[in-house]
Amino acid sequence: MAVKGAAAGTGMLLVTANVGSLFDDPENLQKNWLREFYQIVHTHKPHFMALHCQEFGGKNYEASMSHVDKFVKELLSSDAMKDYNRARVYLDENYKSQEHFTALGSFYFLHESLKNIYQFDFKAKKYKKVTGKEIYSDTLESTPMLEKEKFPQDYFPECKWSRKGFIRTRWCITDCAFDLVNIHLFHDASNLIAWETSPSVYSGIRHKALGYVLDRIRDQRFEKVSYFVFGDFNFRLDSKSVVETLCTKATMQTIRAADTNEVVKLIFRESDNDRKVMLQLEKKLFDYFNQDVFRDNNGTALLEFDKELSVFKDKLYELDISFPPSYPYSEDCSQGKQYMNTRCPAWCDRILMSQSAKELILKSENDEKIVIYDHIGPNVCMGDHKPVFLSFRIAAGAGKPIANVHKCCVVQ
């Protein structure tokens, strides 16, 4: 695979993918997923590639172990990746530990043409040159080349065995140091509860957890560098506002459980037009009669309801979104564009960054469109999440004003 020369800068490809579905139906979904992923690699030809996976191994990690091994082996040895002669793979396989298991998997691939790349040792507090291919799994807590934490149970007490947390690694390429953080935040447990308030109670929990991660990666233990945080943030559209907009002229019927009087279903009907049902809402049902509203013009009309990032407007930045909501897609292989009617479609999968990281990207931008933020497999079933990627270049010397480059020279 030919890669553009160093004069054009270092080609970077960051990808986030919730891959839980791939292990629930590996025979049908993995081949599609890998083909689309390899196509993105071929198109953008990066020097450095990071793939952050969430729900790695699916719902039952122990039962999926053989599929996990096959997936990792395929990524490391496929013909499409043959020019990436160095790799680091970090898999949280400690599924027996409720206290620590996050089901996160972080993959980093380095092209053979890329020289002088270093990874940070958080224990020794120095950079080490990256050589060869290495896989780390099971108890990642003892690996000095990363920081990993699972969110405390009290962040989401409704979920007895949450697998949410983050993994952080630090890299130095062409005198430019940066952190890459793989993250998985909490989901909405009930559409009915999410609908009750604006912002929802779940949005508040995600806000707390993301704030915790930012505090960790911005604290005083290590030198501050640019950072990219990418994963499944589970950001949702503001449900109350969306429903009010979609069902402006509708009347609402409330259905309660006979024994507890608890609300179990909301039905929104048109005031006229034979009282046609527009939306049905249950704990795990969001059935709107016209899915086109989520796909037309890539759903951009709904971006005004995508509010969760605004809380971090001085700490986290994002490029403009021009792709449709990344979740929840049908897991039927014949329905690559169809959303499931379990949740309101939303941009859960994101690539966010510090201000200095955004400046790093834009310094390399010129008249060509070399910065691309998009999703993978728009017409193909990729599972319930579409992967999202960011392709850009780091210009030679672009990071010098940001990071203390002399620290990058302390290597082993």
Side-chain angles (χ1 to χ4, degrees):
M1 182 195 304
V3 175
K4 294 177 184 177
T10 302
M12 304 283 293
L13 181 65
L14 310 182
V15 181
T16 179
N18 184 315
V19 294
S21 299
L22 304 193
F23 299 95
D24 297 333
D25 184 12
E27 297 305 319
N28 292 312
L29 291 179
Q30 281 192 23
K31 185 182 292 185
N32 283 349
W33 194 98
L34 286 165
R35 184 184 68 247
E36 296 295 317
F37 174 74
Y38 293 148
Q39 183 58 50
I40 291 294
V41 174
H42 178 75
T43 298
H44 296 279
K45 299 178 172 58
H47 299 90
F48 179 94
M49 178 172 26
L51 169 62
H52 283 177
C53 296
Q54 305 82 42
E55 291 296 336
F56 199 77
K59 294 182 181 68
N60 188 336
Y61 200 102
E62 188 171 12
S64 300
M65 289 292 279
S66 63
H67 300 304
V68 166
D69 292 343
K70 183 179 178 182
F71 185 83
V72 174
K73 185 177 180 181
E74 162 66 27
L75 272 175
L76 289 175
S77 62
S78 74
D79 190 58
M81 304 291 284
K82 68 179 185 301
D83 294 330
Y84 294 87
N85 63 348
R86 289 153 294 167
R88 291 293 182 271
V89 178
Y90 302 103
L91 304 176
D92 186 358
E93 294 187 330
N94 192 17
Y95 57 86
K96 293 182 179 178
S97 171
Q98 291 193 25
E99 184 182 354
H100 297 295
F101 185 50
T102 63
L104 294 174
S106 297
F107 297 76
Y108 304 98
F109 302 95
L110 287 60
H111 193 270
E112 60 189 10
S113 66
L114 184 60
K115 310 299 181 189
N116 299 323
I117 177 164
Y118 305 99
Q119 188 181 1
F120 191 65
D121 182 320
F122 287 95
K123 188 174 181 180
K125 294 189 176 182
K126 62 175 65 175
Y127 288 87
K128 297 183 177 180
K129 192 164 187 175
V130 181
T131 59
K133 296 181 179 181
E134 297 176 2
I135 301 174
Y136 298 86
S137 60
D138 197 17
T139 52
L140 294 181
E141 286 78 12
S142 60
T143 305
M145 307 308 287
L146 58 80
E147 286 196 317
K148 175 205 150 198
E149 286 190 50
K150 178 180 174 178
F151 296 118
Q153 183 67 46
D154 60 3
Y155 272 54
F156 204 38
E158 297 91 341
C159 190
K160 293 179 181 177
W161 193 45
S162 161
R163 303 191 293 185
K164 308 298 192 292
F166 71 94
I167 291 177
R168 169 200 195 184
T169 56
R170 176 171 290 190
W171 305 83
C172 185
I173 303 175
T174 61
D175 297 330
C176 179
F178 51 86
D179 283 346
L180 300 178
V181 182
N182 186 354
I183 191 169
H184 195 184
L185 298 183
F186 301 98
H187 63 279
D188 283 12
S190 166
N191 293 324
L192 294 169
I193 293 174
W195 177 81
E196 289 175 353
T197 58
S198 175
S200 76
V201 61
Y202 304 118
S203 173
I205 294 168
R206 288 188 285 272
H207 175 197
K208 180 180 176 185
L210 182 51
Y212 177 85
V213 174
L214 292 180
D215 287 344
R216 287 291 289 167
I217 66 176
R218 289 152 43 98
D219 63 20
Q220 302 300 316
R221 293 170 302 141
F222 307 103
E223 181 191 13
K224 285 185 170 60
V225 299
S226 302
Y227 53 85
F228 295 89
V229 185
F230 50 114
D232 179 2
F233 291 85
N234 263 313
F235 287 165
R236 306 301 169 98
L237 303 186
D238 186 81
S239 185
K240 195 168 187 65
S241 301
V242 169
V243 171
E244 288 172 354
T245 301
L246 294 179
C247 304
T248 306
K249 297 180 179 179
T251 56
M252 184 180 80
Q253 176 187 357
T254 302
I255 298 175
R256 298 178 180 272
D259 51 347
T260 64
N261 204 38
E262 178 185 4
V263 175
V264 293
K265 188 169 188 173
L266 299 174
I267 302 175
F268 297 83
R269 300 177 186 272
E270 289 189 6
S271 301
D272 44 27
N273 195 24
D274 296 329
R275 306 269 298 150
K276 176 183 174 182
V277 174
M278 298 180 70
L279 172 67
Q280 297 183 77
L281 206 63
E282 296 177 11
K283 180 178 180 179
K284 293 186 178 180
L285 177 73
F286 188 99
D287 189 5
Y288 187 63
F289 79 102
N290 179 19
Q291 278 202 5
D292 288 342
V293 69
F294 304 111
R295 289 189 291 261
D296 287 350
N297 197 25
N298 290 323
T300 49
L302 297 169
L303 278 170
E304 65 174 294
F305 306 115
D306 180 68
K307 302 176 179 179
E308 294 196 34
L309 185 57
S310 62
V311 180
F312 298 93
K313 61 183 178 182
D314 296 325
K315 296 179 181 177
L316 283 172
Y317 298 82
E318 184 177 26
L319 302 185
D320 291 340
I321 291 176
S322 58
F323 50 88
S326 63
Y327 171 87
Y329 280 92
S330 170
E331 294 169 304
D332 181 339
C333 282
S334 66
Q335 301 286 338
K337 286 185 167 184
Q338 189 77 10
Y339 288 107
M340 286 192 285
N341 62 2
T342 52
R343 308 285 184 190
C344 177
W347 289 273
C348 293
D349 308 273
R350 316 278 277 260
I351 299 176
L352 310 180
M353 64 203 77
S354 62
Q355 182 174 2
S356 58
K358 187 174 182 181
E359 291 170 357
L360 191 67
I361 291 175
L362 297 180
K363 276 180 187 175
S364 306
E365 180 76 291
N366 53 29
D367 293 336
E368 305 176 65
K369 193 186 178 192
I370 57 172
V371 179
I372 301 174
Y373 185 35
D374 205 348
H375 65 327
I376 300 176
N379 303 312
V380 177
C381 181
M382 304 285 281
D384 57 351
H385 289 256
K386 296 285 191 193
V388 169
F389 75 92
L390 176 63
S391 175
F392 62 97
R393 289 185 173 268
I394 297 178
K400 287 185 179 178
I402 298 168
N404 182 348
V405 299
H406 301 295
K407 293 284 181 72
C408 285
C409 300
V410 184
V411 299
Q412 287 186 346

